[in-house]
Amino acid sequence: MELIGRNEPCWCGSGQKYKKCHLAFDEKLEEYRRKGCVVPSHHIIKTPEQIEGIRQSAKINIAVLDYVAQHIRAGITTAEIDRWVFEQTTQAGGIPAPLNYQGFPNSVCTSVNDQVCHGIPSEEDVLKEGDIINVDVSTIYHGFYSDSSRMFCIGEVSPEKKRLVEVTKECVQLGLEQVKPWGFLGDMSQAVYDHAVKNGYSVVHEIGGHGIGLEFHEDPWVGYIFKKGTEMLLVPGMVFTIEPMINMGTHEIFVDDDNGWTVYTDDRQPSAQWEIQVLVTETGYEVLCW
Ligand code: MF3
Ligand code: CO
């Protein structure tokens, strides 16, 4: 922790003296740390200006997903979705965050049926009636990052798949309702996990959400197999994603050897995922994009 004089400017950039601004906050954090809690470091706590920048980025992300929602249908390829995302994002002044991210070749991840996440759009993959697909869109705008994903049911989908998609959305909503300042990330995780398991589904262990805002992936890592009261303490100004992957069968997964990206369920049964980006506020949460 930085040592700041009481009369020096606060680390948060408010321009106020430390003693009038975050001193009491830091003392409270220190108490939690002494008790053995994982506490956030200052650099992942966003300033009001940064939050506004992230909001603008998130607006583009939402608009791009809205565009996809209006146009997605049986008969199109996932490469077509990739072109929509590239065009809509760049026309709005943004950059698709996945493009060239650690070598990812496209502007969006499209994960169909037994693909858990990080599906690569392709001219070969034609959407057909009965498919479920996750479209995961991430935007950089003036250096600020946003990230959210939605599920789409293509035409008439089996009741089993439809229920998986709906329950996964409920998991995110129930997790979200646990987000509050001075609560714990694990409160959210357990709500997600319990609802999935109660419905007969499994939760992917190895892949999760993340802090986000000034970079694509920041601390904390956001898993969904943690217990209430554990994991990082939540404080106002933190921004992270809730994006559980819920499987119909086994939680076990594997990564496609050929492309090094696409994640599949081990038993090739369907998987669903919704992703929202959340700000911790003074009183609870604000959903920045969905
Ligand atoms: N949007 C994904 C996430 O939620 C990021 C995937 S990295 C990519 O974290 F390169 F595959 F896009
Ligand atoms: Co994400």
Side-chain angles (χ1 to χ4, degrees):
M1 203 159 113
E2 302 108 289
L3 283 174
I4 306 175
R6 298 171 56 83
N7 290 314
E8 286 178 54
C10 187
W11 54 262
C12 79
S14 64
Q16 292 192 353
K17 287 184 178 172
Y18 184 46
K19 67 182 178 194
K20 291 247 165 196
C21 196
H22 274 91
L23 175 60
F25 172 92
D26 279 346
E27 284 170 353
K28 195 167 171 182
L29 271 192
E30 195 47 38
E31 248 173 67
Y32 276 95
R33 190 201 309 273
R34 269 201 299 268
K35 284 191 292 186
C37 299
V38 186
V39 303
S41 57
H42 288 162
H43 75 270
I44 63 165
I45 301 171
K46 272 66 184 174
T47 67
E49 293 73 25
Q50 290 167 343
I51 291 166
E52 197 39 45
I54 298 166
R55 269 201 201 96
Q56 297 309 317
S57 176
K59 268 190 199 164
I60 299 176
N61 217 66
I62 293 166
V64 172
L65 272 164
D66 286 347
Y67 184 94
V68 171
Q70 280 159 19
H71 294 83
I72 198 165
R73 61 185 184 281
I76 62 146
T77 63
T78 51
E80 185 72 20
I81 300 172
D82 185 60
R83 283 189 286 275
W84 297 340
V85 170
F86 181 82
E87 277 159 23
Q88 295 301 311
T89 305
T90 51
Q91 274 171 26
I95 303 165
L99 193 56
N100 303 318
Y101 175 79
Q102 295 184 356
F104 191 80
N106 290 82
S107 297
V108 63
C109 299
T110 51
S111 307
V112 184
N113 298 330
D114 61 349
Q115 296 180 339
V116 173
C117 63
H118 303 165
I120 299 180
S122 160
E123 303 289 354
E124 316 280 287
D125 294 334
V126 182
L127 294 182
K128 57 183 190 311
E129 176 112 3
D131 283 343
I132 58 171
I133 178 175
N134 173 273
V135 179
D136 191 342
V137 174
S138 318
T139 301
I140 314 170
Y141 182 65
H142 295 330
F144 295 106
Y145 285 77
S146 54
D147 185 8
S148 58
S149 78
R150 301 182 198 165
M151 293 297 296
F152 299 100
C153 292
I154 306 302
E156 206 52 51
V157 165
S158 74
E160 292 77 23
K161 277 177 162 176
K162 200 179 269 174
R163 200 175 135 256
L164 175 68
V165 169
E166 279 162 11
V167 169
T168 304
K169 192 171 195 183
E170 291 164 7
C171 286
V172 171
Q173 181 59 34
L174 291 168
L176 173 65
E177 286 164 15
Q178 294 298 318
V179 174
K180 57 183 177 305
W182 312 104
F184 293 90
L185 208 46
D187 306 350
M188 179 282 296
S189 304
Q190 187 171 347
V192 168
Y193 187 89
D194 287 353
H195 192 63
V197 169
K198 195 176 85 191
N199 281 280
Y201 300 138
S202 67
V203 179
V204 171
H205 294 189
E206 301 88 339
I207 312 170
H210 46 95
I212 176 168
L214 311 186
E215 291 171 61
F216 199 171
H217 297 110
E218 305 174 354
D219 277 347
W221 186 76
V222 181
Y224 310 95
I225 57 166
F226 299 118
K227 294 285 178 211
K228 205 174 159 70
T230 70
E231 294 297 295
M232 194 179 279
L233 182 72
L234 302 178
V235 303
M238 283 171 70
V239 178
F240 61 90
T241 67
I242 302 178
E243 50 176 315
M245 282 136 275
I246 307 297
N247 296 351
M248 201 180 276
T250 178
H251 69 84
E252 304 276 1
I253 55 172
F254 70 94
V255 180
D256 186 322
D257 265 346
D258 296 332
N259 68 29
W261 279 104
T262 311
V263 179
Y264 289 86
T265 56
D266 243 353
D267 58 8
R268 309 304 296 264
Q269 288 204 68
S271 180
Q273 177 183 31
W274 295 80
E275 174 177 21
I276 59 174
Q277 183 174 346
V278 180
L279 165 71
V280 183
T281 65
E282 294 292 338
T283 52
Y285 59 79
E286 177 186 329
V287 179
L288 297 174
C289 65
W290 58 90

